[in-house]
Amino acid sequence: MEFLKTIAQYMERHRLLKPEQLHLVALSGGADSVCLLLCLKELGYRVEAVHCNFHLRGDESNRDEQFVIALCQAHDIRLHLIHFDTKTYASLHHVSIEMAARQLRYRYFEQLRHDIGAADICVAHHLDDSVETMLLNLVRGTGIEGMKGISARNGHIVRPLLCVRRHDIELWLQERGQHYVTDSTNLVADVQRNRLRLDIIPRLEQMNPGAVSNIARTAHWLSEANTVYQDVIRQALAQMVKDGTMDTSDLFKQPSPECVLFEWLTPYGFTPATVYAIFERLSRQGGEQTDGLQWLSPTHQIVTHGQRLLVAPRQEERPTLRLPETGNYRYDALTSFQVKVLPANTISLEPHTATLDADKVAFPLTIRPVQQGDRFHPFGMKGSKLVSDYLTDAKLSLIDKQQQLVMADADGRIVWLVGRRTDNRFRITPTTRSTLVISQQTPLNTQPSTLD
């Protein structure tokens, strides 16, 4: 009874479950999930079980399924079963088997929860799991958020067993004569979590029998401290970051600028090591302006521009489009071009419309990203200029430079720095007989050209 009392008090303290509501229990058949299901039922909660067969362990997967069917029948608990082709899903989505199983499992749990009107999804993580998570994060490198261990609640996911240890669970089941199944892959120290569970933590407990409890207690205090810490970070970022841009002069006015930088960038996939490298580089600048430094995460890029840091999604390489004649052309999902020939007296000063001497431009035209060494003759200027120098003089960031397009004619001459400036060699003159009009259409420039 003491075991059940501990769990009941923990759930009450964290306001996890309400007896009158329906709760879904993730049931693998292992000791932890079997204990969770039976504890909640014995404590008077309305529960239904859900079991996922991922077909990853051959006969063992089918054995687990048959066990949970028999268990739920014996205790008159409704069971929801689902089968997944996990390996195919992992291959199609280019994720690990472990990640595939996780995505499939939690996506189905939420769908089922909604369909049956359950309040929550109960999963059987316990105290040892939380300590293992904390140590894994510590080894990999983490901030204070990663040192909290596992939370009692995360949205509709609740964890009532975080107050008890694995050996307490197994002892409770043993006293009741309740069987469970064992996943053989958990007994092999071939992945990081298993190594912690089977080797590292037992050694820590040899040094101090209270090691796990002490680490869990530390995680609890770090969780409390994190509440205050995150509030301070949110206030700092709200003042410093606007539209994905941070003023680094404000950054170094903060009491802990490296922490602010870490909390801003890690959600974008930047590792602690990369954040440290960025911070070190900025520190060496001593507040001086710097342009063009770049760091990448799997999904985002961050660049320096003056005393600012700009973060944006990583850009795919922009395509090249060939325009063999006048007409309407789609460049990408957001950008299109209209090319037509009009009378000689047609001139536009709109930045997204170029008006050129049609006789001087040789088709086909090519729209492409800026390349190293590109030169053009900016309209109204004598001589040529490197496109890269022109963009730098215009104070464009590296991200904007990466997005810049040029339009070249059949002879490779740049006729238009798209959206910015035409080439002086193709300007309209008193001898121009007809005008080539090129209009760029984007979501920010939706009005069609009025040059008809």
Side-chain angles (χ1 to χ4, degrees), residues 146-167:
M147 296 297 290
K148 299 189 310 178
I150 300 175
S151 301
R153 174 181 288 279
N154 183 9
H156 290 294
I157 304 295
V158 296
R159 302 177 175 93
L161 298 187
L162 286 177
C163 56
V164 293
R165 296 200 56 188
R166 180 181 293 107
H167 63 73

Side-chain angles (χ1 to χ4, degrees), residues 26-41:
L27 180 63
S28 68
D32 309 334
S33 64
V34 170
C35 173
L36 175 61
L37 180 69
L38 299 184
C39 282
L40 293 183
K41 183 173 175 60

Side-chain angles (χ1 to χ4, degrees), residues 347-365:
I347 297 178
S348 173
L349 298 179
E350 293 293 327
H352 293 282
T353 299
T355 48
L356 311 170
D357 188 319
D359 292 331
K360 296 176 182 177
V361 179
F363 278 88
L365 302 177

Side-chain angles (χ1 to χ4, degrees), residues 217-391:
R217 192 174 297 111
T218 299
H220 169 73
W221 288 116
L222 286 172
S223 179
E224 294 295 310
N226 186 58
T227 302
V228 179
Y229 168 81
Q230 292 295 341
D231 186 55
V232 173
I233 293 294
R234 277 193 295 270
Q235 292 181 36
L237 291 178
Q239 296 173 357
M240 297 166 52
V241 178
K242 305 294 182 184
D243 300 322
T245 302
M246 173 185 283
D247 188 330
T248 56
S249 62
D250 290 339
L251 175 66
F252 288 96
K253 296 175 184 177
Q254 301 300 317
S256 186
E258 188 174 354
C259 287
V260 174
L261 194 65
F262 177 88
E263 298 297 343
W264 180 43
L265 293 181
T266 50
Y268 296 110
F270 292 93
T271 66
T274 302
V275 175
Y276 179 75
I278 296 171
F279 179 77
E280 285 290 291
R281 189 68 176 83
L282 294 177
S283 299
R284 290 200 301 270
Q285 292 304 120
E288 297 179 4
Q289 293 190 349
T290 304
D291 285 332
L293 298 178
Q294 181 183 41
W295 295 269
L296 300 175
S297 79
T299 58
H300 285 74
Q301 60 180 328
I302 188 165
V303 303
T304 57
H305 186 58
Q307 289 187 308
R308 294 182 296 158
L309 283 178
L310 284 66
V311 65
R314 289 185 67 163
Q315 302 296 331
E316 296 182 2
E317 185 175 347
R318 305 205 76 182
T320 295
L321 176 66
R322 187 172 181 268
L323 287 61
E325 58 187 13
T326 57
N328 295 313
Y329 297 88
R330 172 69 63 181
Y331 177 74
D332 58 24
L334 299 176
T335 308
S336 60
F337 290 88
Q338 182 186 69
V339 183
K340 55 188 176 181
V341 175
L342 294 179
N345 60 353
T346 304
I347 297 178
S348 173
L349 298 179
E350 293 293 327
H352 293 282
T353 299
T355 48
L356 311 170
D357 188 319
D359 292 331
K360 296 176 182 177
V361 179
F363 278 88
L365 302 177
T366 300
I367 300 173
R368 59 168 175 80
V370 175
Q371 297 175 353
Q372 187 174 3
D374 276 344
R375 303 187 75 92
F376 82 129
H377 295 69
F379 178 79
M381 294 177 59
K382 294 181 179 180
S384 67
K385 190 179 186 71
L386 282 170
V387 171
S388 58
D389 289 345
Y390 181 89
L391 297 177

Side-chain angles (χ1 to χ4, degrees), residues 112-133:
L112 180 61
R113 184 196 69 81
H114 183 269
D115 290 345
I116 67 174
D120 298 294
I121 302 155
C122 304
V123 294
H125 292 118
H126 47 69
L127 188 64
D128 295 72
D129 291 321
S130 185
V131 169
E132 290 164 11
T133 297

